[in-house]
Amino acid sequence: MKALKDVQAYNEAMALNRSAFPVLSRIRQPAYRDQLLRCSLSIPSNIAEGYYRNTRGDFIRFLRYARGSAGEFITQMELAIDNGLVDKSVGMTFISEADAISAKLFRLIQHLESRKN
């Protein structure tokens, strides 16, 4: 990967944040709104931070953090749907996107770890 833009999971995480931000910022419950915004921001931010640390070990570690943030986003979105704060079809789309990002991160971590040896 020559540039951060070559990391597909990063591009998809940025797209998720761009599409989710307007929906999330309208949630009237501050606890849900703020937590969802934080974890949606954390996914691409952790990918970028790991990438720019410039070592494979750091990159892998921050990819794991990003994957954790994707899992947190999925959980928080499920709770927001259950509590009627986000339209179910919209929320399920976001969950599907976050799950796909998580899967890509998992595969990238596996690939980088296999090249470590």
Side-chain angles (χ1 to χ4, degrees):
M1 290 168 274
K2 294 181 181 181
L4 180 59
K5 297 284 184 185
D6 294 333
V7 180
Q8 187 177 6
Y10 171 79
N11 294 321
E12 291 181 18
M14 292 291 286
L16 172 63
N17 186 267
R18 284 186 201 105
S19 62
F21 188 84
V23 173
L24 301 178
S25 62
R26 288 193 302 264
I27 295 174
R28 294 183 185 259
Q29 297 294 325
Y32 281 101
R33 179 188 62 233
D34 296 347
Q35 192 63 29
L36 276 161
L37 288 171
R38 269 194 298 278
C39 53
S40 73
L41 291 167
S42 290
I43 302 168
S45 297
N46 278 307
I47 296 168
E49 185 171 356
Y51 178 85
Y52 283 110
R53 286 188 178 239
N54 231 14
T55 69
R56 182 176 290 141
D58 280 340
F59 191 28
I60 291 168
R61 182 164 41 99
F62 279 87
L63 291 173
R64 286 187 177 122
Y65 296 155
R67 192 159 185 260
S69 293
E72 180 182 3
F73 178 84
I74 290 166
T75 300
Q76 294 294 323
M77 186 59 68
E78 288 173 348
L79 291 167
I81 292 167
D82 289 350
N83 288 296
L85 302 172
V86 175
D87 177 75
K88 185 174 183 174
S89 65
V90 172
M92 292 307 292
T93 298
F94 293 148
I95 288 171
S96 177
E97 291 172 14
D99 191 50
I101 293 165
S102 177
K104 283 182 177 62
L105 289 168
F106 180 74
R107 288 191 299 275
L108 179 55
I109 291 165
Q110 285 185 315
H111 172 74
L112 291 171
E113 287 180 333
S114 73
R115 294 182 61 211
K116 229 173 151 174
N117 300 328

